[in-house]
Amino acid sequence: MAKTKVLLSGNEAIAQGAIQAGCTFYAGYPITPQNELIAYMAKYLPASGAVKGQAARVFIQAESELAAINMVYGASAAGARAMTSSSSPGISLKQEGISYLAGSQLPAVIVNIMRGGPGLGNIAPAQSDYFQATRGGGHGDYHVIVLAPASAQEAYDLTQSGFDLADKYRTPVMILGDGVLGQMMEPVKLSSRKIKTPPVKSWALCGCAGRKPNIAKSFFLREGALEEFNLKLQKNYQIIQQKEQRFEGLFLSDAKVILVAYGTMARIAKSAISQLRNAGKQVGLIRPISLWPFPERAFQIKNNRVKYLVLELSYGQMLQDVRLAVNGRQQVEFLGRSGGGILSQEQIIDKVKKIL
Amino acid sequence: MIERIIIAGSGGQGVMLLGKVLAQTAMLEGKQVTWFPAYGPEVRGGTSHCMVIISDQEIGSPYISQADTLIILNRPSLERFKGKLKKNGILILNSSLAAIDKYAKMQVLSFPFTDIAIKIGNIKVANMAALGCFAAAKKIIKVKNILKVFKSIAPAGNLEILKINQQALEEGQKLNHG
């Protein structure tokens, strides 16, 4: 049975998801813990099935992270479904390019498999790039859509959604995972659908014979031009905030304490919840899947005696978004570890018992 | 049913492969499974390990703090992980390279997997002898399905590799598991 399932690491699942989504250009530079992703793309992307309307599927190991993100800029401007991936320190290096992508309204998928920081940090799993991911990351008034898978299957699925969202809103999309998600292998059900044809991009720079040239730029010197452009971006962000909030809710109807966690942290929270539920404790879960837009809708819970417990592999980053969403209506508690420490089921249970 | 297994040994003993074969077999049998490796510098020697969880329900954390079973292939790994075995858990130990003197509140299955592998003709298959031992002792996965996984991952055209791994698996399975 289960013939269509394959055992893939989160890194490989993201890569396979990108191939299935019709990614035609990947550039990256190695870094642990996302190396399986770049290795998988090197092996499989160029040889995978053709994408309609695209000449080839191209893999490049770039000479640096900066080169990779700027190659993605060029490929995206030319109409490719373009992608890069890295881990925390490498993502910091890419921020200039991400800001330029946002400023030029170019779609791209950027994967960050987070490791410990700040600085070169270590290679252990962490979630401490939440601020960087959800606040834009580079300079200027912009956001990227941030999707946070919690399993290899979801990594495969969300990467495909990521390409669609990037094209739909002409914005960079980030897939944000951590070292556990990247390294862990799980069964993944692969799609048997044909690779779809990417949407026609009338704005792409792909030869302008017979039409007006298109321009990809993020430079607006004429008086008033940048403000006009920024307002256009903001309008786009408002639509994204209205339409693209995603979350998973568990036991929200009767929960007295609601755990809030994403990615790997949410899996550990689920283990804690099942143990607490067995002991008769009314505990629930909100798992944000889109980190930007943050799923504020999930927090419209009327009972003001409900308490939230935010769990992170960082020190109170998503906590700020939860507080903004709750807006003082209910109590918000926090528990977090970072720098390689993984919050255990037992630590969560102890904290919940204190709050209940 | 939930079974949490930590597999540890020296880099090069095939602990990652052992875990992957175990995980693939569980997947083949329709179970939920996670495989989580140590991903530091272990590939160049030192202690290497992976964690495999097999369940019939959704698996939360892939990280194991209390293992139901330890499969330990060398002495440094035994020192590092013996404290992670839950009360009355099973320790499958490679007695060619490690020994345990006093123990309480655990079941020890100690066999010379490395020597068995050498005798068969390839030291590298000690891991599969240990897997055979696990399969027979725990009966969570079926040996015939392990063999199917072997066939699906072995390099094409190299029947010798397939044969010797199967032989090691069967030797491990035949050991006295009490």
Side-chain angles (χ1 to χ4, degrees):
Chain A
M1 64 165 289
K3 266 184 199 158
T4 54
K5 281 189 177 177
V6 289
L7 196 68
L8 292 179
S9 69
N11 283 330
E12 293 166 332
I14 290 170
Q16 185 57 46
I19 290 170
Q20 175 66 27
C23 172
T24 49
F25 182 88
Y26 173 95
Y29 186 82
I31 183 171
T32 304
Q34 65 80 56
N35 284 321
E36 296 74 14
L37 203 170
I38 181 169
Y40 195 97
M41 287 305 243
K43 192 169 177 185
Y44 296 109
L45 181 70
S48 55
V51 177
K52 209 173 170 188
Q54 299 281 326
R57 299 235 220 184
V58 177
F59 168 89
I60 297 178
Q61 179 173 327
E63 68 269 34
S64 73
E65 287 85 351
L66 270 74
I69 192 71
N70 286 299
M71 288 174 185
V72 163
Y73 184 106
S76 174
R81 280 201 146 179
M83 181 192 204
T84 186
S85 65
S86 190
S87 177
S88 309
I91 294 293
S92 291
L93 289 166
K94 291 184 197 287
Q95 290 301 339
E96 180 193 51
I98 298 172
S99 171
Y100 277 54
L101 283 163
S104 306
Q105 288 198 289
L106 291 176
V109 172
I110 299 138
V111 183
N112 181 4
I113 301 299
M114 292 179 280
R115 58 189 251 177
L120 206 47
N122 63 15
I123 59 169
Q127 296 182 320
S128 37
D129 303 349
Y130 181 92
F131 281 154
Q132 187 198 50
T134 57
R135 269 64 181 165
H139 62 281
D141 266 314
Y142 77 95
H143 284 284
V144 302
I145 295 174
V146 183
L147 304 175
S151 65
Q153 182 70 55
E154 203 176 32
Y156 175 74
D157 296 338
L158 284 183
T159 302
Q160 296 176 62
S161 307
F163 279 96
D164 290 343
L165 290 169
D167 280 343
K168 182 174 179 188
Y169 295 105
R170 290 184 61 184
T171 176
V173 171
M174 182 172 279
I175 306 295
L176 191 69
D178 58 74
V180 172
L181 181 88
Q183 294 294 318
M184 173 186 62
M185 291 183 110
E186 281 186 308
V188 177
K189 194 172 177 202
L190 298 180
S191 169
S192 53
R193 280 179 314 174
K194 276 209 310 216
I195 289 160
K196 61 177 152 188
T197 310
V200 175
K201 297 170 177 177
S202 60
W203 46 264
L205 284 66
C206 49
C208 65
R211 66 158 165 83
K212 247 177 76 184
N214 288 329
I215 300 170
K217 61 158 188 170
S218 65
F219 196 35
F220 300 89
L221 275 186
R222 179 180 58 80
E223 197 183 330
L226 181 59
E227 184 172 20
E228 200 180 298
F229 174 74
N230 273 334
L231 287 171
K232 195 171 133 191
L233 275 188
Q234 291 304 315
K235 204 172 162 192
N236 196 31
Y237 295 147
Q238 277 169 15
I239 296 168
I240 294 170
Q241 281 179 303
Q242 280 163 17
K243 291 192 170 169
E244 306 299 344
Q245 293 185 24
R246 300 183 186 197
F247 68 96
E248 178 191 1
L250 211 59
F251 303 117
L252 294 183
S253 54
D254 76 334
K256 290 180 175 163
V257 171
I258 296 172
L259 308 183
V260 188
Y262 70 96
T264 292
M265 198 58 249
R267 298 175 67 110
I268 304 172
K270 276 188 185 176
S271 295
I273 289 169
S274 96
Q275 210 171 318
L276 285 160
R277 284 260 153 193
N278 285 341
K281 312 277 186 212
Q282 285 164 280
V283 182
L285 174 75
I286 292 174
R287 177 173 74 88
I289 296 170
S290 61
L291 301 183
W292 197 87
F294 191 72
E296 294 182 345
R297 224 163 269 152
F299 296 85
Q300 304 306 316
I301 287 164
K302 296 229 166 60
N303 181 355
N304 60 16
R305 286 157 71 188
V306 161
K307 293 172 186 171
Y308 294 99
L309 172 58
V310 181
L311 305 166
E312 301 174 18
L313 298 178
S314 51
Y315 293 123
Q317 299 194 19
M318 184 172 69
L319 172 65
Q320 295 194 0
D321 282 336
V322 175
R323 284 201 174 127
L324 285 169
V326 171
N327 201 14
R329 289 186 300 274
Q330 289 115 339
Q331 191 179 327
V332 180
E333 297 277 339
F334 175 73
L335 186 63
R337 283 180 74 181
S338 186
I342 298 180
L343 213 53
S344 72
Q345 198 174 316
E346 292 75 23
Q347 285 172 308
I348 297 168
I349 291 169
D350 283 350
K351 181 79 178 179
V352 168
K353 283 180 177 165
K354 278 181 199 145
I355 297 171
L356 260 172
Chain B
M1 185 277 289
I2 182 159
E3 170 78 7
R4 304 171 193 84
I5 309 135
I6 298 177
I7 304 149
S10 136
Q13 280 189 301
V15 298
M16 297 299 178
L17 182 65
L18 200 176
K20 278 186 196 173
V21 171
L22 183 55
Q24 292 228 15
T25 308
M27 180 178 78
L28 192 72
E29 295 184 0
K31 298 183 174 81
Q32 304 272 347
V33 63
T34 59
W35 173 91
F36 183 57
Y39 57 92
E42 292 87 351
V43 72
R44 304 188 192 284
T47 304
S48 173
H49 73 271
C50 65
M51 298 174 167
V52 176
I53 303 179
I54 301 171
S55 178
D56 39 27
Q57 273 157 30
E58 189 182 347
I59 298 167
S61 172
Y63 187 83
I64 299 173
S65 47
Q66 287 277 292
D68 300 290
T69 305
L70 296 179
I71 303 175
I72 302 288
L73 298 186
N74 73 347
R75 185 181 167 82
S77 308
L78 178 65
E79 295 309 318
R80 182 166 169 199
F81 289 104
K82 67 182 178 190
K84 290 221 175 233
L85 188 62
K86 75 167 193 195
K87 203 174 144 185
N88 301 324
I90 293 184
L91 168 66
I92 294 174
L93 186 64
N94 180 13
S95 63
S96 307
L97 297 173
I100 187 162
D101 305 330
K102 286 178 293 183
Y103 55 84
K105 291 175 183 158
M106 65 169 87
Q107 187 190 343
V108 178
L109 299 173
S110 178
F111 299 105
F113 300 120
T114 299
D115 293 322
I116 291 169
I118 292 169
K119 210 167 135 192
I120 295 171
N122 189 340
I123 192 171
K124 289 180 191 165
V125 297
N127 55 350
M128 294 307 147
L131 179 59
C133 177
F134 171 83
K138 273 282 177 167
K139 296 188 178 62
I140 288 171
I141 49 164
K142 293 191 177 71
V143 170
K144 66 167 191 192
N145 290 327
I146 300 177
L147 294 174
K148 273 190 198 160
V149 170
F150 278 0
K151 279 190 192 129
S152 73
I153 64 175
N158 196 337
L159 280 176
E160 277 309 303
I161 285 188
L162 208 58
K163 220 171 103 185
I164 198 163
N165 276 283
Q166 180 170 354
Q167 209 180 338
L169 189 74
E170 283 163 0
E171 288 295 327
Q173 200 192 345
K174 274 191 277 182
L175 297 164
N176 180 3
H177 306 103

